[in-house]
Amino acid sequence: MTTLDSLSHWRLDRDADGLAWLTFDRAGSAVNALSADTMAELATVLDALDAQPPKGLVIRSGKPTGFIVGADVNEFAELNTPEQGRALVARGWNLFNRLAAVRYPTLALIQGHCLGGGLELALACRYRLVEDAPGASLALPEVMLGIFPGWGGMLRLPALIGAPAALDMMLTGRGADARRAATLGLVDARVPTRLLQAAARGMVLSGKPPRRARGLGAWLNRWPLKAVAANRARKQIAAKDPLRHYPAAPAIVDLWEKHGGNALQAPALIDGIIASDTARNLLRVFRLQERLKANGRQAGAPPVRHVHVVGAGVMGGDIAAWCALKGMTVTLQDQDMARIAPAIKRAATLFSRRLKDRRAARAAFDRLVPDPAGGGVPLADLVIEAISENPEAKRGLYQALEPRMKADALLATNTSSLSLETLRGGLARPERLVGIHFFNPVAKMPLVEVVHADGTAEATLARACAFVGQIGKLALPVRSAPGFLVNAVLAPYMLQAMRSVDEGLSPATVDSAMVAFGMPMGPLELADTVGLDIARAAGQELAGGAEPPRCLAEKLARGDLGKKSGRGFYAWRDGKPVKEGQPGQAPAGLAERLIQPLIDATRERVEAGVVADADLADAGVIFGTGFAPFTGGPLHYQSSRSA
């Protein structure tokens, strides 16, 4: 029999006022995740509290990494039978129902991440307080793993914040920061760090009734309006996923509408979701993402505090803005202020959108310093070059920069096509040149390719990867080669799509086929976004000088470069493509024909050693291109089809 003294993951303290403080600090882990043993210990704690009820219970984290990141995903991977899946759902459903029913008031004191099962635990408490700090994130992201929040989230979240807001959170997996969580009513208050303990004590002993949804949001939890909300959600899901690649989303709606959020009332649905290929593949994608995140955690790599960016165009300016957003001092250099001004304007928009607090946005803005004379070079830990793709211009710039840089500073290029071997000629210390290749738009694309070549110092590669992790991006090490990984696999995919236009298909028909397949956008819209001139250059380099598709050559001859010129395969207005009329019926097998060159190019990159292995190649293509996550990646997709 487990006693409180023998607990490994939880610590229960009682203060002089009779208040119980329960601290979750999972042994042997950097984060708190809910596993079978941690939940068994929580049940033991509740037994003890039943025997000697406190005046109130505050549940908090003992980890600096946050409250609870969710369930232990490794346990999902180990499910082999339907009975095991149902038992896992029952474990959390029954335990959190028990927590919700205790006689004494309970409060979840949330700092940092409160995700999945962690938020479901917090929802089972009477009150919730969140630390008013940038790292706070409350979400039910299960749908992104192909599963559903089966431990009470589908029951309690709609009752707390109303059906529309709850369905949006559950069906998208989107999180809420401290400010939004308070606005939604997801928490009772957001509290400054220094006041957390006192606020928790006051709230849990306040005797206030628990929050409940009000107004239309509350009425939509009840019949017959509940059916209206459910049908509306189903239509939105069908519009985004017409081929039902992601069955968890409609399952969430069904469970909420028909079973009160209790998945145990629909065992067949549990079996189908947990055993689905989509759930297995999305779990694979999650693990690939964790592997990329691990690349950004390099032990001993000193943090980058000052970044100097040369080139204030779209890429350079947006890289500079993102680094400032993430807390670094950034100096941005170009020939004059007129060239820097548009980047500063875009940065201000980014800061105000991402940082809702005006003071935080102002602080980020102050960290981004226009620097036409390059005064930041001797101060920078990292110098990033983001000028035009001209090797002579880049080498000339490096010769001017290198003598002024700190001895331990990194020199990085954002080149998308040029080899490091070509660029490092003439450098006194070529071993410290590394590629740090961002994708457009910088703020949205999670992947960054970290490019190395023979002779690149290991410490240089490690520090570059650590920098990528420091700014919240996913670092993928790749060897220097034409197009590296992502552009090398995108080019043949986009060119194949253009050849389909040459054969008579409309751009909208081609793109709609790929969106239906599961891509975030079609290849021709993507080509317009990248720039048709860049697509041609990449295609020529990677296709051995083969003739470009006729439609591409014609558009370039007219000066139609895509989004940046206002017209390409589509006309562009206000940053969005204008797609007139309905797309035609796509020929059978079109999607498979279009992605085959991408799959082939990915395999070739692995065989050539550009990426370390097939899993990393799949990760790079998923997070660098948006390749349909339900497939598990292009190489995994092909191997599963041929199995």
Side-chain angles (χ1 to χ4, degrees):
M1 181 177 178
T2 304
T3 65
L4 293 182
D5 292 337
S6 62
L7 297 180
S8 301
H9 309 292
W10 300 86
R11 186 181 71 253
L12 183 66
D13 301 296
R14 295 179 187 255
D15 63 24
D17 298 326
L19 193 62
W21 297 80
L22 180 60
T23 304
F24 185 22
D25 191 356
R26 189 184 184 193
S29 174
V31 298
N32 281 334
L34 293 165
S35 57
D37 56 340
T38 63
M39 295 175 79
E41 287 192 2
L42 178 56
T44 297
V45 172
L46 294 180
D47 289 340
L49 294 175
D50 282 346
Q52 290 183 290
K55 288 187 177 179
L57 172 66
V58 176
I59 303 177
R60 60 187 176 181
S61 169
K63 302 283 189 194
T65 49
F67 184 64
I68 303 173
V69 297
D72 186 337
V73 296
N74 292 318
E75 295 187 351
F76 287 105
E78 294 165 0
L79 298 177
N80 296 312
T81 67
E83 291 76 19
Q84 290 175 330
R86 295 175 209 167
L88 188 145
V89 174
R91 177 199 305 159
W93 174 264
N94 294 332
L95 181 62
F96 292 167
N97 277 350
R98 182 181 174 190
L99 175 62
V102 298
R103 292 172 288 167
Y104 44 86
T106 54
L107 180 143
L109 185 56
I110 299 166
Q111 294 178 271
H113 293 301
C114 178
L115 309 176
L119 181 54
E120 291 180 292
L121 183 150
L123 289 169
C125 294
R126 185 179 298 182
Y127 310 112
R128 286 153 299 282
L129 293 181
V130 64
E131 181 183 22
D132 192 7
S137 176
L138 289 76
L140 291 177
E142 285 86 352
V143 72
M144 300 171 73
L145 290 177
I147 54 178
F148 48 78
W151 291 352
M154 295 182 289
L155 166 67
R156 295 188 179 94
L157 187 63
L160 180 65
I161 66 173
L167 287 170
D168 179 69
M169 286 187 68
M170 293 189 293
L171 296 177
T172 65
R174 278 195 292 263
D177 60 13
R179 178 185 292 267
R180 177 154 175 77
T183 300
L184 287 171
L186 185 53
V187 296
D188 293 273
R190 53 191 178 105
V191 181
T193 305
R194 68 184 187 280
L195 301 178
L196 278 174
Q197 305 300 319
R201 177 186 299 276
M203 176 61 75
V204 78
L205 298 176
S206 67
K208 291 182 179 179
R211 280 179 173 266
R212 289 288 181 268
R214 297 179 179 178
L216 180 60
W219 282 104
L220 288 169
N221 283 319
R222 304 176 186 177
W223 188 264
L225 294 182
K226 191 174 191 179
V228 174
N231 287 333
R232 181 180 179 187
R234 290 188 184 98
K235 289 179 181 178
Q236 292 172 338
I237 292 167
K240 292 180 180 179
D241 182 26
L243 299 185
R244 294 178 69 90
H245 293 306
Y246 300 93
I252 288 171
V253 178
D254 286 350
L255 290 169
W256 169 70
E257 180 196 12
K258 300 173 183 176
H259 304 287
N262 184 359
L264 297 175
Q265 293 182 3
L269 196 152
I270 295 177
D271 301 346
I273 291 294
I274 291 180
S276 68
D277 288 340
T278 295
R280 283 194 291 268
N281 287 339
L282 292 180
L283 178 60
R284 166 182 164 79
V285 172
F286 174 81
R287 287 175 154 171
L288 294 177
Q289 183 180 37
E290 291 302 300
R291 187 174 172 192
L292 293 178
K293 285 181 180 178
N295 290 336
R297 296 189 291 268
Q298 297 287 333
V304 171
R305 294 185 172 88
H306 185 141
V307 178
H308 183 80
V309 179
V310 184
V314 171
M315 289 304 297
D318 289 359
I319 292 167
W322 186 260
C323 292
L325 178 79
K326 291 299 178 179
M328 298 172 184
T329 298
V330 184
T331 41
L332 179 58
Q333 180 180 351
D334 212 311
Q335 294 176 6
D336 51 48
M337 277 301 300
R339 292 175 181 266
I340 299 174
I344 300 297
K345 184 177 179 181
R346 291 196 310 276
T349 302
L350 173 71
F351 300 152
S352 63
R353 189 174 68 245
R354 292 292 184 111
L355 302 170
K356 307 299 183 183
D357 186 291
R358 263 187 268 175
R359 290 170 298 179
R362 181 72 225 182
F365 192 79
D366 290 342
R367 289 193 292 269
L368 180 57
V369 182
D371 185 18
V377 173
L379 306 173
D381 304 305
L382 169 64
V383 176
I384 301 177
E385 166 270 305
I387 65 172
S388 61
E389 294 288 85
N390 182 308
E392 290 78 16
K394 289 179 186 288
R395 285 194 296 264
L397 175 63
Y398 301 160
Q399 289 175 5
L401 289 172
E402 190 178 26
R404 301 180 60 215
M405 292 171 57
K406 291 195 299 185
D408 62 346
L410 292 186
L411 176 60
T413 175
N414 185 53
T415 182
S416 60
S417 60
L418 300 174
S419 71
L420 293 189
E421 293 87 343
T422 298
L423 296 179
R424 65 189 180 190
L427 281 173
R429 291 179 53 196
E431 74 279 0
R432 70 169 170 176
L433 177 67
V434 65
I436 301 182
H437 179 218
F438 291 79
F439 296 94
N440 189 26
V442 172
K444 291 184 178 179
M445 298 300 292
L447 189 79
V448 175
E449 291 177 318
V450 182
V451 187
H452 58 98
D454 290 341
T456 302
E458 287 188 15
T460 296
L461 178 62
R463 196 174 181 197
C465 286
F467 161 73
V468 172
Q470 192 179 341
I471 59 172
K473 299 291 187 181
L474 302 174
L476 176 68
V478 294
R479 289 194 63 82
S480 179
F484 313 132
L485 172 68
V486 172
N487 285 349
V489 306
L490 274 181
Y493 167 61
M494 291 189 291
L495 293 175
Q496 184 70 17
M498 293 175 195
R499 293 188 182 99
S500 297
V501 174
D502 284 351
E503 294 166 5
L505 293 179
S506 72
T509 298
V510 173
D511 279 353
S512 65
M514 296 316 301
V515 170
F517 174 78
M519 299 297 199
M521 69 170 62
L524 300 174
E525 182 180 341
L526 178 62
D528 268 3
T529 303
V530 170
L532 300 187
D533 52 339
I534 295 173
R536 177 182 61 182
Q540 286 177 331
E541 184 170 9
L542 296 163
E547 283 294 313
R550 186 178 65 255
C551 62
L552 175 61
E554 291 172 352
K555 292 180 187 304
L556 291 172
R558 293 195 299 266
D560 294 341
L561 304 182
K563 183 178 180 179
K564 59 188 173 186
S565 70
R567 181 172 291 277
F569 284 96
Y570 301 100
W572 288 78
R573 291 186 199 140
D574 300 323
K576 295 182 179 180
V578 179
K579 300 181 180 180
E580 299 176 353
Q582 293 295 318
Q585 181 67 38
L590 175 63
E592 301 293 341
R593 182 160 63 91
L594 293 184
I595 65 166
Q596 194 59 50
L598 183 153
I599 294 171
D600 294 341
T602 305
R603 183 182 301 101
E604 290 165 4
R605 278 343 212 202
V606 175
E607 292 170 352
V610 175
V611 281
D613 54 55
D615 282 351
L616 278 179
D618 276 345
V621 178
I622 289 169
F623 292 105
T625 76
F627 190 90
F630 80 91
T631 65
L635 298 182
H636 181 76
Y637 175 67
Q638 183 162 67
S639 65
S640 63
R641 280 193 304 162
S642 58

